[in-house]
Amino acid sequence: MDASDPPLDDTPSPRRPLWRRLAPVILLLALVAAAIAGGIHRLLSFDALVAHAGALQGFVAGNGAVAAGAYVAVYAALVALSLPGALVATLTGGFLFGGLVGGALAVVAATAGATVVFLIARTAIGDALVARAKGAIARLADGFREDAFAYLLFLRLAPVFPFFVVNLAPAALGVRLKTFVAATALGIVPGTFAFAFIGAGLGGVVAQEAERRGACLARGGADCAARLDPSTLVSTPILLALGGLAVVALLPVAAKRLRRRKGPAA
């Protein structure tokens, strides 16, 4: 067991006062409210990328390391605050840094942001729920922890539930930190790199939308926002590939259950 992991035996760790456990949650909610009130979510759009593409590319060209660090920090904060715009952020990473580097930066950022949410949730409610879990809830927690890596890998590969929900549930079920981080980082790799490479190929689309946007503004148009339909980026082969990988992630769990049903070999 990793030193940073919570105890999973029957002896609960000393409980901290409620206000200390909830303080990180309150702070996170306050930051979310401030971000929404400040309109930060409007900056995480394709229109913002088109409007500032030239400036962003120039900054990256002249300040590569600083730009990469800023991108990771902003993306991680986006995920930690559960704000919309992760898809645009991933496309932007590919557009600015290329598919390979942009994808790697996005994986690091998304994993870091998800880990922040996981740790806050575990601090606030996770340990208390695990210590008090009984009956069906306790069996569910035990079963999830037993095959946590496979289940988390499946949920990351096949986004059946929203990303932030998959950050919270493992904390409530007592999943170890190292398992959460490893499954999250590995599970988001295929989809993240797929969209990062799509972003790397958006140069022509961005230029075309910038020209259309400029002409619209020059005419005094009321709605000149650049638009990109995300559904046009998600092809059937990508969905099938992610679905296939998700099924593969659950094969070890299925094999283990099958062996248990058959019992020891004669």
Side-chain angles (χ1 to χ4, degrees):
M1 181 183 296
D2 191 80
S4 62
D5 294 330
L8 298 178
D9 55 25
D10 295 330
T11 304
S13 57
R15 292 192 64 202
R16 293 182 297 168
L18 180 62
W19 70 269
R20 290 189 61 183
R21 289 189 288 117
L22 293 182
V25 177
I26 295 173
L27 176 60
L28 185 65
L29 292 176
L31 290 174
V32 172
I36 294 176
I40 292 180
H41 58 291
R42 286 193 291 270
L43 299 177
L44 304 170
S45 65
F46 183 68
D47 181 60
L49 172 60
V50 170
H52 305 290
L56 289 172
Q57 288 176 316
F59 182 75
V60 170
N63 308 272
V66 174
Y71 173 77
V72 170
V74 171
Y75 198 142
L78 165 70
V79 174
L81 297 178
S82 300
L83 296 175
L87 174 58
V88 173
T90 305
L91 294 172
T92 300
F95 176 74
L96 295 176
F97 301 100
L100 189 60
V101 175
L105 293 175
V107 168
V108 171
T111 302
T115 302
V116 169
V117 177
F118 172 83
L119 290 174
I120 289 176
R122 191 176 73 172
T123 299
I125 61 173
D127 289 345
L129 284 180
V130 171
R132 286 167 171 69
K134 296 179 181 179
I137 295 178
R139 290 193 295 273
L140 174 63
D142 290 340
F144 194 93
R145 284 198 301 268
E146 182 181 357
D147 298 300
F149 184 86
Y151 285 135
L152 278 172
L153 193 59
F154 169 80
L155 291 174
R156 294 304 191 192
L157 288 167
V160 180
F161 300 100
F163 195 80
F164 76 93
V165 173
V166 185
N167 297 336
L168 296 173
L173 295 174
V175 173
R176 293 186 173 97
L177 174 61
K178 63 182 180 182
T179 301
F180 176 85
V181 173
T184 295
L186 183 60
I188 65 176
V189 161
T192 300
F193 272 92
F195 285 110
F197 275 98
I198 290 174
L202 286 180
V205 176
V206 170
Q208 181 179 356
E209 280 297 304
E211 182 178 353
R212 186 196 65 78
R213 184 177 184 274
C216 178
L217 290 173
R219 294 193 306 269
D223 184 9
C224 299
R227 293 181 177 85
L228 178 67
D229 184 0
S231 65
T232 62
L233 305 177
V234 184
S235 64
T236 300
I238 290 179
L239 292 176
L240 290 176
L242 292 177
L245 290 173
V247 171
V248 170
L250 287 182
L251 288 180
V253 178
K256 184 186 297 184
R257 300 288 171 85
L258 183 61
R259 286 197 299 269
R260 286 179 178 174
R261 289 184 180 181
K262 289 184 176 181

